[in-house]
Amino acid sequence: MSLFWRIFLLNAAVLMVAAVLLLGPVTVSTPVRPGEALAVVIGLVVMLVVSAVVLRIGLAPLGRLSRAMATADLLRPGNRLPVTGPAEMADLIGTYHTMLDRLEHDRASSTARVLSAQEDERHRIAQELHDEVGQTLTVVLLQLKRVADRAPADLREEVALAQEATRGTLDEIRRIARRLRPGVLDELGLASALRALGAEFPDHGVAVRTRVAGAPRTAPALDHDTELVVYRVAQEALTNAARHARAREVTLELRRAGGRTELVVTDDGRGIGDAAEGAGIRGMRERALLIGAELTVGPRTGAPGTEVRLHVHEPAEETDP
């Protein structure tokens, strides 16, 4: 029954009862007697209570919808209200769900385009760093080598320092290029790329233990976009542990469980506490949505620090007929 008819029939019932009482044996004297006044007050209280209960029950779905709209997050899709209540409320909740589905789809589509453009730009910058800047610094190193061979003894030490500075800059540029576009991911697969990623972070003062045993390429093989998302989530989790959590030890684990691939990154840092999620975590959530993965970020169980879990559902294996 619709909310309109519920309220209308309730008011009609109250008026009919009042009319029956007035036309019946119940009368009100002038002046009003105490017993008559008490009966009127009790009847009024009963009518108000019944009306309040009916309105409370009828408008409860509207309150739930209001709270759901206030806490809706497009980065955490799938939260839906049960379609209950009067017809108008059910239609309103259904319309809200349709709107939310459209917004989530549009958000995922726009995020996919943005992240694809970012990856293309990273690839271009990494290529230019490797081809242009890297080759230029390599030529500078060769020139400094020739200068060092011909320089007098009192200048060789300064030339050697310049060589070391140039060599260090070249190594740093190569490291940046690898982080921008991990070539090992395209060539050797996800497991090797995660091992290489973990091997880089001791330079940042963080000891990383990488566990990818039993997953040489995470069979059945994930597609390239999924592997890239897993790699970027691991990269962002390690970066957060090194920069913000002040962690000294991080565990990076890639495993298969229950027909899905699971990435787990735990650290012994100070944790996220009640702090709001920053751009890094929101970026991880956006990437997870692109491949339909489930991302959870929270405190470690029974120990200080943070745990990042990414559950990737593997594609169903095709069977021969």
Side-chain angles (χ1 to χ4, degrees), residues 44-71:
L44 179 61
V45 170
V46 170
M47 288 188 294
L48 291 177
V49 170
V50 172
S51 179
V53 170
V54 172
L55 289 177
R56 172 72 66 173
I57 296 175
L59 297 178
L62 186 61
R64 293 196 298 270
L65 178 61
S66 177
R67 290 189 295 271
M69 295 176 67
T71 58

Side-chain angles (χ1 to χ4, degrees), residues 238-261:
L238 290 178
T239 301
N240 288 341
R243 291 182 180 178
H244 307 297
R246 299 176 184 175
R248 291 179 293 182
E249 184 174 315
V250 181
T251 300
L252 172 62
E253 186 174 3
L254 181 69
R255 62 195 180 197
R256 293 185 61 204
R260 61 183 181 179
T261 300

